[in-house]
Amino acid sequence: MSKTILITGASSGIGKATARHFHAMGWNVIATMRHPEREEELTSLENTLVTRLDVLDSASIDQAVASGIERFGWIDALLNNAGYGAYGPLEAFDMDSIRRQFDTNVIGLLAVTKAVLPHMRATRSGTIVNISSIGGKMTFPLGTLYHGTKFAVEGLSEALHYELEAIGVKMKIIEPGMIRTDFGGRSFDFRNDESMVEYQPTVKCLFAAFGSSVTQASAPEVVADAIYIAVTDGSNQLRYTAGEDARQLMANRKAQDDDRFIGGLKAQMDL
């Protein structure tokens, strides 16, 4: 009997790569996105339901979960992938933009999880996978909002695993490094105010560093493979790193104290 996964943010990048991977492995896929009418590839796949889900719209969350269960009968796994990165000087963001970053990456993730949990609790089974980042364990300049959300995802996921274990549900965290996705495009919200001249040297250094790191970026399929392993390995392992750059950075972060790691990062970025 085929198992079923619900994926948020499945229109591109990691979400779409994961939908393709699980489909290829014989799973039913509930591929959710804000604009399903624009999707062409996933709609052509058998045993795949493409439907609308906006993590900021609770009605769309409930409808997507209900539609998925109606179509396939159950949900065995949830991938909370939808999100974006807000970068730039904190002073350049208005409060509505700050709230949107946390509403999307944190509150929306919790809302989707809450919508799926009653079903998993009833079946006393399932796996929830939250996409974090190496940015949930370390920070880069001008990432106050993005890193704030990913540190939150790390904490809430680790705490959740205790209560979910009691109902037979596994909690998994995926920590990718730099990935070749649309994150640098429509999923990257950069704000700046050039009149704040004090911040501009840091802005310049950040873009130079991001540009040079693109060559080290992994394909989204690398993350999809890590997600599949996390869902199917049957272990209680909580965290999974995805990408060689992520493994190296995480090892360096664990081996160094704050002064050494942050100092090295500043030197590398010419800050």
Side-chain angles (χ1 to χ4, degrees):
M1 187 176 294
S2 296
K3 293 187 174 183
T4 301
I5 184 170
L6 186 150
I7 302 170
T8 66
S11 63
S12 63
I14 292 169
K16 177 169 279 190
T18 303
R20 288 194 297 253
H21 189 85
F22 274 77
H23 175 266
M25 300 305 292
W27 282 58
N28 303 317
V29 176
I30 307 165
T32 74
M33 57 198 70
R34 287 182 297 169
H35 300 288
E37 69 279 2
R38 301 176 186 173
E39 178 57 38
E40 297 180 356
E41 178 187 352
L42 298 180
T43 53
S44 67
L45 300 180
E46 293 183 358
N47 302 320
T48 299
L49 171 64
V50 176
T51 190
R52 181 176 181 272
L53 190 157
D54 183 340
V55 299
L56 302 183
D57 179 353
S58 58
S60 77
I61 295 171
D62 292 339
Q63 182 59 49
V65 171
S67 296
I69 293 174
E70 180 181 4
R71 171 75 177 272
F72 299 117
W74 55 83
I75 297 174
D76 299 279
L78 164 65
L79 173 63
N80 281 311
N81 166 71
Y84 74 99
Y87 265 79
L90 178 60
E91 286 191 73
F93 287 89
D94 57 45
M95 286 307 301
D96 284 343
S97 298
I98 292 171
R99 291 188 183 94
R100 180 173 178 267
Q101 172 74 124
F102 279 83
D103 283 346
T104 301
N105 288 13
V106 181
I107 304 302
L109 178 149
L110 290 172
V112 177
T113 301
K114 275 178 58 67
V116 170
L117 272 180
H119 173 72
M120 290 186 172
R121 178 163 47 84
T123 60
R124 295 191 65 83
S125 65
T127 303
I128 295 175
V129 181
N130 289 339
I131 297 294
S132 178
S133 165
I134 58 169
K137 290 293 190 65
M138 63 191 70
T139 66
F140 300 101
L142 305 182
T144 300
L145 302 183
Y146 174 70
H147 291 294
T149 65
K150 290 306 182 182
F151 269 68
V153 168
E154 290 279 341
L156 67 88
S157 300
E158 183 173 313
L160 260 177
H161 100 275
Y162 295 106
E163 62 196 79
L164 298 188
E165 187 174 45
I167 61 172
V169 176
K170 294 183 183 298
M171 181 77 248
K172 307 283 184 169
I173 307 170
I174 306 295
E175 299 168 334
M178 182 71 74
I179 305 295
R180 294 195 299 272
T181 71
D182 195 39
F183 188 83
R186 64 184 178 182
S187 295
F188 185 70
D189 180 13
F190 184 78
R191 305 288 180 92
N192 188 27
D193 183 342
E194 294 185 358
S195 70
M196 300 178 187
V197 295
E198 298 89 345
Y199 298 126
Q200 299 317 301
T202 306
V203 170
K204 183 178 179 180
C205 289
L206 177 74
F207 273 93
F210 274 14
S212 64
S213 66
V214 170
T215 57
Q216 304 174 33
S218 303
E221 286 75 18
V222 170
V223 188
D225 185 56
I227 293 165
Y228 186 78
I229 291 171
V231 171
T232 62
D233 67 5
S235 78
N236 291 319
Q237 180 176 335
L238 179 61
R239 290 181 169 87
Y240 298 74
T241 303
E244 185 56 37
D245 64 325
R247 281 185 281 274
Q248 292 178 4
L249 276 168
M250 295 286 269
N252 289 342
R253 187 66 184 97
K254 289 179 181 178
Q256 299 174 6
D257 61 21
D258 289 347
D259 286 345
R260 187 176 176 190
F261 181 82
I262 294 173
L265 192 63
K266 287 179 178 179
Q268 186 178 348
M269 299 181 70
D270 295 324
L271 287 174

